[in-house]
């Protein structure tokens, strides 16, 4: 068990009542809801068109590849230009893409290849938006409030992940075009909120000329800090193996024998656990033994994945996913706080871009891995293998990164601008 420090009664309110943080929080809420319902529609529509688990895996791969191709450019742009402009531009483009998919669905010319094109373009936008939005947060709140702000910002994402899939699942009854239209409106609202965001302190700008050294600085910084390298790579490999979200349409239709509404509930279940945990951590931030707590949480993630894999009862499957989401949120908050606090402000974009690729690998590339293994072993075998692999990764990483395992406090090292 971790030791937590009591939070002063007015501390969370001092963050949540800050107008700038509210704008940031609601912008993140809207953009994440939009992306979640977009993802639900894409997954169900693709499976309706192909009935092929491998194609579901390919959707994840196509979403992930742009972040790999654009990683160096996106991080450099985030450190050199106004991060608010970058984020709102990406969200505006995402709104255009979602509306275009709605029109394609309404007119009936959507097919597998068009879906891949739109998903790739959406992935390119998010390759710039995600690291930039994360790097923007330290300019919205004070360094002291950052751990609680990260937990509250994560609660926005998890609230969206609860609302989004359920909304997408129920709206899909009216057709995928309706779902894509809702996503487009939400992306547009997020862009307006970011455009009106006022910063507490200006972000440090990268002024050095573009060079090989500055372009690869994010990789260099993470590689030279074993705690950061261990934290982000643990998440990548563990969730890559244990992620089963790409197979939820198969579980909903063929194993749990439910429909789009059931898929929405399954996709929302991890976020229910994650939201409860995020709110708890915003009131009771981890104070001691954060490294061991992170490893324990990832091991629990693997065990919950295995329970989900063998379940044939919808309530049990949802319960396993709730536990999975709660344990993952502990890992997310620890990792994101370490990345933000241990990184200088003028490097947060480049380090955040590298971190986003690790996150993308654990999600989109994990979906590809799940789709491929499901095609070979069946969905149950694929999920069980992934859960076992996650637990094995935890044991290996505790030996490979002893500094992370022995990390006591989040605030031991604070990045200084350079």
């Amino acid at each position: 068990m971790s030791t937590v420090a009591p939070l002063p009664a007015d501390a969370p309110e001092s963050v949540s009542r800050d107008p700038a943080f509210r704008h940031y929080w609601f912008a993140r809420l809207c953009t994440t809801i939009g992306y979640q319902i977009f993802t639900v529609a894409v997954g169900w529509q693709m499976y309706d068109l192909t009935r092929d688990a491998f194609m579901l895996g390919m959707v994840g791969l196509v979403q992930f590849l742009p972040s790999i191709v654009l990683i160096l450019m996106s991080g450099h742009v985030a450190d050199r230009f106004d991060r608010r402009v970058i984020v709102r531009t990406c969200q505006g483009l995402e709104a255009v893409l979602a509306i275009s998919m709605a029109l394609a669905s309404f007119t009936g010319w959507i097919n597998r290849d068009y879906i891949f094109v739109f998903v790739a373009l959406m992935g390119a936008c998010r390759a710039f938006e995600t690291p930039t939005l994360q790097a923007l947060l330290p300019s919205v709140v004070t360094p002291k409030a950052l751990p609680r702000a990260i937990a509250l910002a994560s609660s926005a994402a998890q609230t969206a992940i609860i609302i989004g899939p359920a909304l997408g699942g129920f709206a899909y009854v009216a057709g995928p075009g309706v779902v894509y239209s809702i996503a487009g409106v939400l992306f547009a609202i997020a862009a307006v909120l970011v455009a009106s965001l006022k910063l507490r302190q200006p972000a440090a700008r990268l002024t050095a000329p573009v060079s090989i050294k500055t372009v690869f600085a994010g990789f260099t910084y993470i590689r030279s800090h074993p705690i950061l390298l261990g934290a982000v790579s643990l998440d990548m490999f563990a969730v890559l193996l244990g992620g089963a979200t790409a197979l939820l349409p198969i579980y909903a239709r063929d194993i749990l024998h439910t429909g789009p509404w059931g898929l929405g509930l399954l996709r929302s279940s991890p976020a229910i656990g994650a939201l409860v945990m995020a709110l708890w951590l915003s009131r009771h931030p981890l104070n001691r033994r954060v490294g061991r707590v992170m490893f324990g949480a990832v091991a629990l993630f693997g065990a919950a994945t295995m329970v989900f894999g063998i379940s044939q009862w919808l309530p049990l499957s949802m319960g396993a996913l709730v536990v999975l989401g709660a344990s993952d949120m502990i890992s997310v908050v620890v990792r994101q706080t370490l990345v933000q606090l241990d990184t200088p402000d003028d490097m947060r974009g480049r380090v955040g871009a590298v971190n986003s690729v690790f996150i993308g690998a654990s999600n989109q590339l994990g979906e590809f891995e799940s789709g491929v293994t499901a095609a070979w072993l069946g969905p149950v075998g694929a999920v069980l293998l992934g859960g076992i692999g996650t637990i094995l990764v935890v044991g290996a990483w505790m030996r490979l990164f002893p500094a992370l395992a022995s990390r006591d406090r989040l605030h031991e090292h604070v990045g200084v601008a350079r």
Side-chain angles (χ1 to χ4, degrees):
M1 290 293 293
S2 62
T3 303
V4 296
L7 193 63
D10 61 341
E13 288 76 13
S14 66
V15 175
S16 61
R17 291 181 180 178
D18 186 314
F21 181 76
R22 283 185 174 182
H23 279 228
Y24 180 93
W25 193 91
F26 281 106
R28 184 163 179 176
L29 178 71
C30 289
T31 194
T32 310
I33 291 177
Y35 185 67
Q36 288 300 316
I37 66 175
F38 178 90
T39 302
V40 167
V42 166
W44 199 271
Q45 190 173 41
M46 179 63 81
Y47 196 55
D48 269 343
L49 290 172
T50 66
R51 298 298 176 93
D52 188 343
F54 182 76
M55 287 297 104
L56 289 177
M58 285 298 297
V59 169
L61 180 63
V62 171
Q63 285 177 312
F64 173 67
L65 284 178
S67 64
I68 290 288
V69 174
L70 300 171
I71 177 176
L72 300 178
M73 184 186 303
S74 63
H76 213 276
V77 168
D79 282 339
R80 191 173 290 276
F81 301 104
D82 189 330
R83 290 166 180 163
R84 290 170 296 181
V85 174
I86 298 168
V87 171
R88 71 174 182 250
T89 300
C90 292
Q91 291 167 341
L93 291 173
E94 289 162 7
V96 172
L97 289 171
I99 296 300
S100 298
M101 283 202 73
L103 293 174
S105 298
F106 284 133
T107 56
W109 58 264
I110 195 75
N111 60 31
R112 182 191 67 182
D113 295 334
Y114 285 126
I115 289 176
F116 282 135
V117 170
F118 282 119
V119 166
L121 292 173
M122 183 68 72
C125 290
R126 291 189 64 82
F128 284 90
E129 179 193 0
T130 300
T132 309
L133 189 60
Q134 292 172 355
L136 187 60
L137 182 56
S139 298
V140 177
V141 300
T142 63
K144 184 178 180 180
L146 186 59
R148 294 186 180 96
I150 288 175
L152 286 171
S154 297
S155 76
Q158 299 308 320
T159 300
I161 294 171
I162 293 171
I163 296 171
L167 177 61
F170 285 113
Y172 197 93
V173 175
V178 174
V179 184
Y180 295 133
S181 298
I182 296 171
V185 171
L186 289 168
F187 287 135
I189 293 172
V192 172
L193 287 169
V194 172
S196 62
L197 181 64
K198 297 186 183 301
L199 304 183
R200 179 181 293 272
Q201 50 199 6
R205 296 280 186 89
L206 174 64
T207 57
V210 178
S211 65
I212 296 296
K213 181 178 179 180
T214 60
V215 167
F216 285 91
F219 287 100
T220 303
Y221 190 83
I222 289 179
R223 186 181 60 187
S224 63
H225 290 73
I227 288 177
L228 295 186
L229 178 60
V232 297
S233 61
L234 172 67
D235 182 90
M236 183 187 76
F237 284 105
V239 183
L240 185 152
L241 293 170
T245 55
L247 304 182
L248 290 183
I250 299 176
Y251 266 82
R253 185 191 295 273
D254 300 334
I255 296 177
L256 300 173
H257 306 293
T258 184
W261 65 271
L263 174 62
L265 291 175
L266 288 171
R267 291 189 68 95
S268 297
S269 294
I272 293 173
L275 174 61
V276 171
M277 183 57 66
L279 294 175
W280 172 263
L281 292 175
S282 71
R283 294 288 301 182
H284 306 278
L286 295 171
N287 189 43
R288 302 298 299 273
R289 298 193 298 175
V290 296
R292 291 191 176 275
V293 169
M294 182 180 185
F295 279 111
V298 177
L300 181 59
F301 177 93
T305 299
M306 294 171 65
V307 173
F308 171 77
I310 63 176
S311 172
Q312 297 183 16
W313 184 40
L314 181 60
L316 177 59
S317 299
M318 292 173 60
L321 291 174
V322 167
V323 174
L324 180 150
S327 57
D328 185 51
M329 178 50 57
I330 297 173
S331 173
V332 166
V333 170
V334 172
R335 184 188 71 247
Q336 293 286 14
T337 304
L338 290 175
V339 168
Q340 297 287 16
L341 288 177
D342 288 13
T343 305
D345 188 45
D346 63 344
M347 291 187 62
R348 284 190 173 119
R350 285 165 290 172
V351 171
V354 177
N355 185 39
S356 294
V357 169
F358 279 91
I359 295 170
S362 67
N363 292 307
Q364 276 78 42
L365 193 57
E367 291 181 5
F368 174 70
E369 179 271 338
S370 295
V372 171
T373 54
W376 292 342
L377 305 175
V380 175
V383 174
L384 284 176
L385 181 63
I388 294 170
T390 298
I391 295 173
L392 293 176
V393 164
V394 169
W397 256 238
M398 290 187 73
R399 288 182 173 272
L400 290 172
F401 298 96
L404 176 60
S406 61
R407 177 75 177 241
D408 189 33
R409 298 177 184 270
L410 290 170
H411 294 272
E412 286 179 4
H413 308 284
V414 178
V416 178
R418 59 185 65 181

